[in-house]
Amino acid sequence: MAKKWISALVCAGLVFVAGQPARAGDSAADGGGYAHAGVAPGLRASATAATAAAPSGYTIKGIDVSSHDHTLGAIDWPAQAAGGVSFAYVKATEGTYYVNPYFDGDNRDAKAAGILVGAYHYARPDKKDPVNEANYFIDHAQWVKDSQTLVPFLDLEWPYGSLNLPACWGLSTAELTGYIRSFANQVQARIGRKLMIYTNTNWWNPCTGNSTAFGDLPLDIAGYTASLPPLPSGWSSTAVWQYAAGNNSQQGNYDKDVFSGDYPALTRLAGGAPASQPPLGLRAWANGKYVTAESGGRNPLIARATELGLWEEYDLVNAGAGFVALRSRSNGKYVTADGGGSKALIANRSTIGLWEEFTLVDNSDGSVSLRAHVNGRYVTADGGGSKALIANRTAIGAWEKFDRYAVPRMVTLKSVGVGNYVTAERAGTAPLIARAAQAGLWEQYDLVDAGHGYVALRSHANNRYVTAESAGTKPLIANRTAVGPWEQFAPVDNPDGTVSLMARVNEKYVTALSGAQLIASGTAVADAQEFQLGS
């Protein structure tokens, strides 16, 4: 994109500080893509910014592109992936009048190269039509509930020059925040996920009146500085940082981003299941065997495994509208009722469509059944489990029932506020505390599905469950042999990829402070209540 750097420009009463970017629009009426009203033609991103290395401490790299980035030819997505790019945002739309003609191809080809991709929309608040604008965006954004599609973002910044509009689009702070909220709410209503906000602090704070009302949305901060710039009002962390501009006169030189977290955390910004939820296994009532995606998912599903392993593990993904999808851990592909339900179930789809959607039925005897969306038939372990699973039954009998087993996942918890791992000291006889510099046996826990959206933590130090002792009034300690309300926690996936744990017993967040034992005492999420989930 054509990015402009402003050294000390006062425009419409706002001061723009050197190193703070503004994204150019790229509609047909752009008139050259100047950064915002009042910027003289000919200003270009500095070569230093365009070639800047990723900031220290950030390992997950990304780019964002628009039609401007096709000036010298197509984007070589396999080369970007080979160069370490893990994610990309591609401009999809602007207002209710422009669709990027390269979006479909970039979205498809980037995903084919193994890159996670999200769509973005250049906002036109001056049109005062946020709901229709949000619908226009989602209609063209190709949002799918899969593991490669990132949540979309709304680009909020200065108008580009040819629009000849004031810096805040001619709106009051109340009008502008109203536009943002209506747009965000409509996107969430359409896709079931919160969108991300892309902005710059020097635009956001004056134009929204320092609004703190949007801190629940993930943030993509734009700031071409050596270290993370000050964040806009309302945010204490950012998911993505656009740290340097590209230069569309140089092939392959695109706007540069980093993600604030590790790769599993990045995947939690995608449409699939949150990484904090353990996978599940299905044991068929027909023969007491586990459903397996044999040969790494190349063969149809069949109930003949005697124990749970990778081929028998599935992520339960919310597909929206009351449906779920099953993603096999054997190959990362979704289970499909192949042939519109006429063929055996097999895990070979990369996205969720009608054939990959199921209704999870909770039976009165504690078992579960799966009804395929495509034909309304129940999945059966045919032939008493001797044949592959197929969705062809009109009623639930023994062959259509499965026990749902959550597969424990080994994790570590690293406190964001303290910077150390949570350890069950003295082999679990001491309360939990965040002061281990490295993760060993005492810092490892099994994440166990406790049902109804709760998990339990079983310490590897002593094989005991972590409890919010005395109904949450005392520090956490791993000393329980069974899971009850005191041992259950609700995992909360934060916008920056971290996880917080809310104790069921008192509905307070587990808090880690330097030198202090962990306790469920937090009433809100800040650094002290955030943990990086490792494995």
Side-chain angles (χ1 to χ4, degrees):
M1 298 171 201
K3 290 291 179 65
K4 318 303 176 195
W5 284 64
I6 304 103
S7 58
L9 177 66
V10 177
C11 176
L14 301 180
V15 177
F16 300 96
V17 179
Q20 303 300 337
R23 182 189 304 273
D26 63 350
S27 69
D30 185 342
Y34 306 139
H36 58 79
V39 177
L43 292 178
R44 285 210 171 267
S46 71
T48 300
T51 58
S56 176
Y58 294 87
T59 59
I60 307 301
K61 297 189 293 184
I63 59 175
D64 63 68
V65 299
S66 72
S67 65
H68 287 306
D69 294 298
H70 287 262
T71 302
L72 299 179
I75 297 171
D76 188 340
W77 288 106
Q80 290 298 313
V85 169
S86 297
F87 70 97
Y89 272 95
V90 182
K91 180 172 182 177
T93 51
E94 178 175 327
T96 56
Y97 50 82
Y98 172 77
V99 177
N100 176 8
Y102 300 100
F103 174 77
D104 289 356
D106 283 341
N107 182 58
R108 178 193 64 240
D109 296 343
K111 287 181 177 178
I115 295 171
L116 275 61
V117 184
Y120 80 83
H121 174 84
Y122 186 85
R124 287 299 304 270
D126 58 306
K127 300 297 185 180
K128 300 182 179 180
D129 194 15
V131 173
N132 285 331
E133 203 171 325
N135 285 332
Y136 186 81
F137 175 36
I138 297 304
D139 287 345
H140 295 92
Q142 296 191 20
W143 166 260
V144 288
K145 305 174 185 70
D146 65 15
S147 58
Q148 265 197 295
T149 304
L150 297 170
V151 294
F153 79 62
L154 176 63
D155 179 355
L156 289 160
E157 55 167 293
W158 299 276
Y160 51 86
S162 62
L163 294 176
N164 295 313
L165 290 170
C168 299
W169 299 88
L171 302 183
S172 68
T173 57
E175 289 174 324
L176 197 48
T177 55
Y179 165 91
I180 298 169
R181 179 53 67 194
S182 293
F183 191 104
N185 287 346
Q186 185 63 16
V187 168
Q188 186 168 355
R190 288 287 304 273
I191 70 173
R193 292 290 297 274
K194 293 180 179 180
L195 89 164
M196 185 184 296
I197 296 293
Y198 167 96
T199 196
N200 173 268
T201 304
N202 288 344
W203 181 87
W204 179 273
N205 285 354
C207 288
T208 68
N210 293 296
S211 175
T212 61
F214 299 92
D216 61 315
L217 305 179
L219 174 67
D220 182 346
I221 183 66
Y224 304 162
T225 47
S227 58
L228 186 68
L231 302 183
S233 295
W235 283 281
S236 60
S237 61
T238 187
V240 177
W241 172 19
Q242 186 188 84
Y243 67 90
N247 188 335
N248 56 39
S249 67
Q250 299 173 1
Q251 183 70 22
N253 191 346
Y254 311 119
D255 292 345
K256 296 166 181 60
D257 307 323
V258 287
F259 176 72
S260 298
D262 57 13
Y263 190 80
L266 176 65
T267 65
R268 288 194 283 274
L269 280 181
S276 62
Q277 298 299 323
L280 61 85
L282 295 169
R283 188 174 69 178
W285 277 37
N287 60 4
K289 303 269 181 87
Y290 292 102
V291 174
T292 182
E294 286 190 327
S295 300
R298 292 189 296 273
N299 293 345
L301 270 62
I302 189 168
R304 64 177 173 203
T306 57
E307 59 184 24
L308 289 171
L310 189 66
W311 292 359
E312 294 75 46
E313 297 180 6
Y314 305 87
D315 289 317
L316 192 65
V317 180
N318 183 358
F323 297 106
V324 298
L326 294 171
R327 184 172 56 215
S328 172
R329 287 286 177 102
S330 68
N331 59 5
K333 298 294 182 71
Y334 292 98
V335 173
T336 185
D338 211 9
S342 65
K343 298 181 180 180
L345 269 63
I346 188 168
N348 67 3
R349 295 300 198 273
S350 58
T351 59
I352 300 173
L354 184 67
W355 293 6
E356 293 73 49
E357 295 180 348
F358 300 87
T359 301
L360 188 68
V361 179
D362 291 302
N363 301 315
S364 59
D365 54 16
S367 67
V368 296
S369 298
L370 292 165
R371 185 172 59 235
H373 189 190
V374 67
N375 62 3
R377 302 290 179 94
Y378 293 98
V379 172
T380 184
D382 210 8
S386 64
K387 298 180 181 180
L389 269 63
I390 188 169
N392 67 4
R393 293 298 196 272
T394 57
I396 297 174
W399 292 5
E400 293 73 50
K401 292 182 178 182
F402 302 86
D403 287 324
R404 175 178 168 176
Y405 281 81
V407 182
R409 173 189 170 198
M410 194 280 288
V411 299
T412 60
L413 293 166
K414 188 176 183 179
S415 169
V416 172
V418 180
N420 288 329
Y421 291 95
V422 174
T423 181
E425 288 189 327
R426 299 207 300 269
T429 60
L432 271 59
I433 188 169
R435 63 178 171 199
Q438 295 180 328
L441 186 67
W442 292 1
E443 292 74 46
Q444 295 174 350
Y445 306 86
D446 287 328
L447 195 66
V448 179
D449 187 351
H452 304 289
Y454 293 100
V455 298
L457 293 168
R458 184 171 56 216
S459 173
H460 282 204
N462 59 3
N463 207 35
R464 300 289 179 94
Y465 291 98
V466 173
T467 184
E469 189 81 293
S470 297
T473 61
K474 294 182 179 180
L476 272 61
I477 189 170
N479 67 3
R480 293 298 196 273
T481 58
V483 177
W486 291 8
E487 292 73 49
Q488 295 181 20
F489 302 87
V492 178
D493 292 282
N494 300 316
D496 60 359
T498 62
V499 173
S500 297
L501 296 169
M502 176 182 284
R504 180 177 183 178
V505 69
N506 63 1
E507 295 187 345
K508 293 186 178 180
Y509 294 99
V510 174
T511 299
L513 299 174
S514 181
Q517 297 161 344
L518 268 64
I519 189 168
S521 62
T523 56
V525 173
D527 286 353
Q529 289 77 34
E530 294 182 341
F531 300 90
Q532 292 175 348
L533 204 64
S535 58

